[in-house]
Structure formats: C-alpha cells, structure tokens
C-alpha cells in the first residue's frame, strides 16, 4: 500500500545487502562524455555523420587521388627509414653483383639496398612509385571532371584555385621523388631541369647556383630534394587537401541533373553508415590494385641504368608522363636564341619549358572568372552541367587535351623514329604543325558533336524515344513508333541553364543608350560561347508534341514544367536510405 506523501518512515533501519555482481558499474562512455563537454564533438559528429553525398562514379576520381596520397604517406615512411639522402661517393658492396665495386653515391647505393637487401623493399618502392603516378593521374582527371561539368562556378572558385595548387604541387612532388635515387635516368631529368633554370633570362645562372649550390650537378641537390620531398611539399599538400575537403563539406557536394535535384538540396546517401562503409571499402580496393600493379608490373628498375654520370645519358630516356609534355615542347621548338652583349637568351628552352608551365597555370587560375565575365552569370551553382550543354567549354577542354597529347608524342619522337623506321627530322617537323593544327580540328569536331547531341535531346523531347517498332498505317506508309519520355528523363534533359545572346550597347546622337546590352567585346565573346547552343523547347512545344504522339497512339506525357514546379520549392530533400 502506498504511503501518504510526507509520512515519515518509522520502520527500523535494515542494512541492505547488494551482491557484488549487481553493483552499478562505471560507464565506459565516461571519456567520451568528458571530451564532448569540452570539445562539443557530439554536435559536430551528428551534423557530419548525417551529411548527404550524391552517388556517381565520377566523384570517385577525387577519392582515388586522396587514397593514393594516403598510400604514398604510408610507403614513404617505410622508405625513409633506409634511404640515405647523400651524394657522397662510395664503392658499392651490396648483393647486386653486376654493380659491385662501381663508384656511386650513397643515395643510389641505399636505393639498391632497399630493392635487394631489405625484405619487401622492392615491393614497397614500386607501390610508392605506382601510387605517385596514380595520384597525379587521378588529380588530373578529377580536375577535368570539374572543368567539363562546370563545378568551378560560384561558390567554388576558391576550391578550384586550391585544386590547381594541389595539381601543381603534386607534379613538383613527383619530380622531386623521381630524382632522389640518383640513377642515370633521374640524373638526366635533373639535367633537363637545370637547362630550364639556365634559360631564364638574366637570372638563370643565379637560379642554378642557388638550387644546386654551385654548378650542376653539385653535391647538395639530393639532400635538398629530400627535404622538399618528405617535408615541405607534403606539408603543403596536407594543408591544401584539408582546405579542399573542408570547402566541399561547407559548400555541400555538387550533383548531376535529375528529378528532385535542385540548387538547394543534395540527393544521395548519408555519411554514416552508407557512405563511410563505401569509402572505407574503396580505399582498400585502391590500395589492393596499386599493390597488384607493383607486384606484376615492373617500374623504374634503377639497377639497369646504373649510377648517374654527367658524361653519360640514357638512350631513349623518357620522364614520367606528367612531365613528358614539357620535354616534347622543348624537342620540337626551333633554335631561337638571342646574343646580346655577353648574354645568351635561350628562347628555344625558356618558351616551351618555363613559358608553357606559366601559361597553363594562368589559364587554369583565370578561367572561372573569365567564363563568369563572358556569361554574366553570378548565381550559385550546385547542379552540374552536362558537357554537351556547354559545347564551347567542352570543345576548348578537348582541344587542350589534344595539344597535350601532341606534346607528349613529341617527347617520344626518338622512340617513334626507331620503332617505326621513320625520319626523326620528319617527325619533328610534323609535330611542330600538329601542336597547332590538331587542337583546332579537335575543337571544331567536339563542338559539332555537342551541338548534334543537343539536337538529339531536343528530338527526343519533342517526339519521344524511338521504340524500334515499325508500324504500317492504313494508307500503306511505315512509321516508327516513339515512346514518351519519363518525368525523370525529361527533367534531366531540360534542367540546364540557358544564357541569352546579348547585343552590344548602341548609343544615339546625344550619347544616350538606344538599346541596352553589353560591351561589343563581351557581346562577341558571348555569341561565340553560347551562340551555337540549341534552345530548350517551351511548354507549348512539349504540349504540341504530346498531342501529336497521342494522335499516333502513343501515351501523352505530362508537361515538364509542371513536374519541375512541384519540386522547385523544396528546400531540402530526404536522402536515399532514410
């Protein structure tokens, strides 16, 4: 029976006996609660773990670059333990018999020791090298995906600039690591870099003495490159990667056009548990593929080249692929030099080497702002472009890729000549023209393909998708039936933004504007950039197309505009899997 409130308990006190195993235990979450009280981890974790990410295969390119960088850090720590960054000369006494007794630097000798005397050393060396190549390749393809889909537009201009910095740092890091073993092939690459430094007008010699601590090759370049390779550039890369990922989270992820995809939401899977599980599994896939490549595909066998000797050069030497385009540009450049007083201005090396790298960096940095000025588009963009819907940008990107391919082929002109029994001079003259002609041809072909694809999309919107079924009409004619598009497909084909072609401002006799517009230069650029685009069909045109298909016996499709308006007001969309 319940005791009345306020009634004192007058029963004698009885000492309760609680079994030891029933006593309350200290919670294991105590440290977590302590950390949360001071750092607010629960609030941050709740928001971060429920962050929604879209699901598309092209987004994996950035992840491949990130995971390759993690593999580089892991294997780099292993190699750092045994590598000796010294150019002091010794006589090799290791287990590789063909080089025993040969004078070489400690750097090259330690590379041979890692390859032949350290358990698993050769495998780790090759994993490190393949991961480096994959890192730069994935970063490049990730940048191309961002460029072709317009993911660099507002508000992601800063993140695009960070990505450009990451790509440049990745190439420097790769070249520095490639040069560390001090073998004949890497020494040839350093001599090429020395030539680029000397070609800088007026200050080239001073730059060379500063980098090499004297004339090439000196005795300090390997230790200096070692510090750059393991400390300076990795620290910059880590900082840029952290900033890059932070901005991705802050701006929310971009997504491709689709039903329910708007500029104010993200449709996809939450970070935990779906995306985290997929990302973790994909890391081990990338690591496993790199390990298989390192196991079965030999790369950089330095023992075949031998130690570096300034009096020798490797026949048919080729740099890693991301630096090959610069060598190709230098090989096909005419011999342009100026001799002014006691100075020589080597334009034949400076322009294709240093100049091309500078031009590439300027174009990549400036493009988001140039395109925004041309189109006058200052709105935020979280929906990606389909490359066909921006044909001029897509054609420019393909033209740049074609030019890069021509330079890359020119870098192997000697290999092409010997393998195909062709004249080296004829190949050189051909490539001099190809680097200018091939990109122009690729530009026009790509632009026409994009415009044709736009017209094909318009045809599908107006007449539906061909069903492959041929029917005979009562008057004896044959017609192919068309199936109406679904709401999802129609949304995807009509979601892109259109830019009007503006006329230049015209003023009257008294200087008063008669017709509003833009400057003549911008009007010309705007007409060039968007003038060839195919206009999207209006709602009335789609109605007429539906009615026409209805007469033919096809089921009429509801209006695209109505389906769009139903979802346009949604601020957030429930992610898939909730």
């Amino acid at each position: 029976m319940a005791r009345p409130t306020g009634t004192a308990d007058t029963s004698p006190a009885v000492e309760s006996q609680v079994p030891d195993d029933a006593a309350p235990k200290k919670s294991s979450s105590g440290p977590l609660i302590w950390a949360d009280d001071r750092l607010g981890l629960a609030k941050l974790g709740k928001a971060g773990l429920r962050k929604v990410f879209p699901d598309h295969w092209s987004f994996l390119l950035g992840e491949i670059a990130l995971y390759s960088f993690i593999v580089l850090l892991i294997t780099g720590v292993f190699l750092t333990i045994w590598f000796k960054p010294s150019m002091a000369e010794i006589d090799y006494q290791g287990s590789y018999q063909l080089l025993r007794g040969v004078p070489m630097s400690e750097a090259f000798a330690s590379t041979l020791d890692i390859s032949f005397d350290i358990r698993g050393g050769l495998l780790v060396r090759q994993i490190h090298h393949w991961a480096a190549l994959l890192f730069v390749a994935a970063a490049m393809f990730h940048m191309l995906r961002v460029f072709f889909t317009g993911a660099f537009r507002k508000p992601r201009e800063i993140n695009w600039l960070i990505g450009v910095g990451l790509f440049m740092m990745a190439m420097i890091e790769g070249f520095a690591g490639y040069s560390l073993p001090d073998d004949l092939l890497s020494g040839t690459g350093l001599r090429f870099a020395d030539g680029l430094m000397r070609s800088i007008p007026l200050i080239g010699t001073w730059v060379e003495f500063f980098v090499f601590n004297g004339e090439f090759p000196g005795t300090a370049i390997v230790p200096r490159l070692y510090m750059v390779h393991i400390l300076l550039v990795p620290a910059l890369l880590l900082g840029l990667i952290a900033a890059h990922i932070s901005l991705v989270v802050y701006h929310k992820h971009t997504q491709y056009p689709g039903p329910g995809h708007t500029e104010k939401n993200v449709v996809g899977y939450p970070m935990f548990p779906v995306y985290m599980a997929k990302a973790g599994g994909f890391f081990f896939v990338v690591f496993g593929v790199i390990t298989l490549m390192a196991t079965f595909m030999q790369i950089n066998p330095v023992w075949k080249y031998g130690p570096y000797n300034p009096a020798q050069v490797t026949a048919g030497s080729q740099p890693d692929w991301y630096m090959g385009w610069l060598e190709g540009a230098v090989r096909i450049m005419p011999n342009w030099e100026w001799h002014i007083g006691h100075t020589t201005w080597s334009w034949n090396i400076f322009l294709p080497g240093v100049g091309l790298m500078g031009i590439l960096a300027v174009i990549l940095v400036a493009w988001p702002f140039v395109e925004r000025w041309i189109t006058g588009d200052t709105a935020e963009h979280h929906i990606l472009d389909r490359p066909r819907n921006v044909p001029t940008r897509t054609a420019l990107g393909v033209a740049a890729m074609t030019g890069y391919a021509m330079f890359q082929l020119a870098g192997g002109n000697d290999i092409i000549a010997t393998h195909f029994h062709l004249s080296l001079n004829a190949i050189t003259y051909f490539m001099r023209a190809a680097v200018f002609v091939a990109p122009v041809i690729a530009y026009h072909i790509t632009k026409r393909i994009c415009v044709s694809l736009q017209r094909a999309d318009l045809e599908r919107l107006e007449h539906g998708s061909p069903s492959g079924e041929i029917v005979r009409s009562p008057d004896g004619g044959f017609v192919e039936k068309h199936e109406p598009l679904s709401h999802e497909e129609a949304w995807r084909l009509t979601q892109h933004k259109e830019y009007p072609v503006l006329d230049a401002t015209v003023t009257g006799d008294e200087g008063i504007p008669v017709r509003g517009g833009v400057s003549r230069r911008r009007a010309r650029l705007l007409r060039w950039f968007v003038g060839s685009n195919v206009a999207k069909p209006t709602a009335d045109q789609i109605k007429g197309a539906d009615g026409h298909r209805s007469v033919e016996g096809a089921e009429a499709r509801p209006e695209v505009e109505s389906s769009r308006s139903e979802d346009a007001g949604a601020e957030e969309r429930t992610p898939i899997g909730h």
Side-chain angles (χ1 to χ4, degrees):
M1 181 176 177
R3 187 182 306 110
T5 303
T7 304
D9 188 1
T10 57
S11 59
V14 179
E15 183 178 359
S16 60
Q17 299 292 331
V18 181
D20 294 339
D21 56 353
K25 297 181 179 179
K26 187 176 181 180
S27 174
S28 60
S29 61
L32 298 178
I33 296 175
W34 182 90
D36 180 55
D37 290 340
R38 290 154 180 80
L39 302 175
L41 298 178
K43 185 177 180 180
L44 293 175
K46 182 179 180 181
L49 294 177
R50 303 309 292 172
K51 187 76 176 177
V52 176
F53 288 88
D55 190 26
H56 193 273
W57 67 266
S58 64
F59 298 144
L60 299 179
L61 295 172
E63 294 185 30
I64 293 175
L66 175 61
Y67 300 153
S68 300
F69 182 70
I70 295 174
V71 174
L72 285 171
L73 294 179
I74 296 172
T75 54
V77 171
F78 178 92
L79 296 174
T80 302
I81 298 174
W82 285 283
F83 181 74
K84 297 179 181 178
S86 172
M87 298 183 72
E89 187 174 296
I90 62 172
D91 291 334
Y92 177 68
Q93 300 298 328
S95 59
Y96 187 66
Q97 298 295 326
L98 296 180
L99 290 177
R100 179 167 290 188
V102 175
M104 61 183 62
S105 66
E106 285 190 308
F108 185 68
S110 64
T111 303
L112 294 178
D113 291 339
I114 292 173
S115 302
F116 297 111
D117 298 321
I118 304 300
R119 189 178 298 275
L122 180 58
L123 177 63
V124 175
R125 265 197 65 232
Q126 299 207 147
I127 290 176
H128 193 75
H129 203 133
W130 278 119
L133 295 181
L134 186 61
F135 173 56
V136 181
M140 173 180 285
F141 283 107
H142 177 64
M143 286 186 63
L144 289 175
R145 196 274 301 173
V146 171
F147 176 81
F148 284 119
T149 59
F152 54 81
R153 295 172 295 175
K154 182 181 178 180
R156 295 176 177 82
E157 299 96 334
I158 295 178
N159 221 7
W160 167 261
L161 298 181
I162 292 175
V164 172
L166 274 170
F167 181 66
M168 297 298 178
M169 289 293 103
M171 289 197 297
I172 295 174
E173 176 76 346
F175 181 78
Y178 171 82
S179 305
L180 286 180
D182 199 30
D183 59 289
L184 186 56
L185 183 60
S186 66
T188 304
L190 274 176
R191 179 179 285 279
F192 181 83
D194 174 66
L196 294 182
M197 297 176 195
R198 287 193 181 194
S199 70
I200 301 175
L202 300 179
I203 62 171
T205 304
W206 299 100
V207 173
E208 179 201 26
F209 274 55
F210 175 76
V211 173
F212 290 92
N213 195 29
E215 288 188 291
F216 176 85
T219 59
I221 187 62
V222 169
R224 290 182 175 183
L225 286 177
Y226 185 69
M227 292 297 103
V228 169
H229 185 68
I230 70 169
L231 289 179
L232 179 60
V233 178
L236 294 175
L237 285 173
L238 283 172
L240 291 175
I241 289 174
H244 190 71
I245 295 176
S246 298
L247 286 178
V248 169
V249 174
Y250 176 72
H251 290 141
K252 74 185 179 183
H253 210 292
T254 55
Q255 55 187 343
Y256 285 93
H261 296 197
T262 70
E263 301 287 2
K264 298 182 179 180
N265 70 354
V266 178
V267 179
Y269 297 97
M271 168 69 82
F272 181 83
V274 179
Y275 191 80
M276 187 176 292
K278 293 175 66 175
F282 190 57
F283 167 74
F284 289 104
V285 170
V286 173
F287 203 158
V289 170
I290 295 175
T291 304
L292 289 175
M293 293 170 64
T295 303
F296 297 105
M297 301 166 63
Q298 186 183 71
I299 189 170
N300 199 25
V302 294
W303 53 91
K304 290 186 177 181
Y305 312 135
Y308 179 64
N309 186 339
Q312 299 174 347
V313 64
T314 54
S317 59
Q318 302 292 318
D320 282 339
W321 65 269
Y322 49 86
M323 301 299 294
W325 66 288
L326 290 177
E327 176 155 340
V330 172
R331 288 190 183 195
I332 64 176
M333 183 71 181
N335 186 27
W336 292 351
E337 286 187 349
W338 290 355
H339 299 281
I340 302 176
H342 298 288
T343 63
T344 300
W345 299 57
S346 300
W347 301 117
N348 55 336
I349 300 176
F350 177 78
L351 291 179
V354 181
L356 270 183
M357 286 190 291
I359 292 173
L360 175 64
V362 170
I363 291 176
L364 291 177
V365 168
W367 179 256
F369 309 99
V370 171
E371 181 174 321
R372 186 180 65 180
W373 175 75
I374 293 175
T375 61
D377 184 7
T378 58
E380 288 195 4
H381 292 276
H382 304 289
I383 300 294
L384 298 174
D385 287 328
R386 299 173 72 206
R388 68 181 64 182
N389 292 329
V390 193
T392 302
R393 182 208 296 155
T394 303
L396 287 173
V398 174
M401 294 169 60
T402 305
Y404 168 84
M406 294 300 103
F407 283 124
Q408 192 79 24
L409 288 174
N413 58 355
D414 54 341
I415 304 297
I416 296 174
T418 56
H419 280 65
F420 295 96
H421 306 288
L422 300 173
S423 168
L424 178 64
N425 290 335
I427 295 173
T428 301
Y429 293 138
F430 174 81
M431 296 309 301
R432 285 178 180 175
V435 294
F436 295 102
V437 175
V440 175
I441 296 174
Y443 171 84
H444 288 288
I445 292 177
T446 303
K447 192 166 184 177
R448 296 315 306 166
I449 291 175
C450 290
V451 173
S452 299
L453 290 174
Q454 287 186 28
R455 290 173 178 167
D457 289 343
L458 179 62
E459 181 76 13
R460 292 180 62 198
L461 285 167
E462 293 182 342
H463 301 287
S465 297
S467 64
E469 181 181 354
I470 306 298
V471 296
R472 185 175 182 179
S473 61
D475 58 359
F478 292 91
V479 179
E480 182 180 11
K481 292 181 63 177
H482 287 70
E483 298 292 340
L485 298 183
S486 63
H487 287 297
E488 292 78 6
E489 184 68 10
W491 181 288
R492 189 173 67 88
L493 296 181
T494 58
Q495 198 172 16
H496 58 280
K497 183 175 181 178
E498 290 185 310
Y499 298 99
V501 179
L502 303 178
D503 295 325
T505 303
V506 178
T507 57
D509 297 336
E510 299 179 0
I512 301 175
V514 177
R515 183 173 67 250
V518 295
S519 65
R520 292 183 179 180
R521 178 185 301 175
R522 186 180 160 198
R524 289 194 299 267
L525 289 174
L526 187 59
R527 186 174 298 277
W528 162 74
F529 193 76
V530 301
S532 58
N533 289 4
V534 177
K536 293 189 295 186
T538 64
D540 293 337
Q541 288 175 323
I542 295 176
K543 275 184 180 180
D546 286 341
H548 178 68
R549 287 198 301 270
S550 178
V551 171
E552 292 180 347
E555 180 181 354
R557 179 180 51 77
E559 299 176 28
V560 177
E561 296 296 332
S562 62
S563 64
R564 180 180 303 159
S565 62
E566 291 174 3
D567 289 293
E571 294 294 326
E572 289 295 333
R573 186 150 182 108
T574 304
I576 300 172
H578 277 205

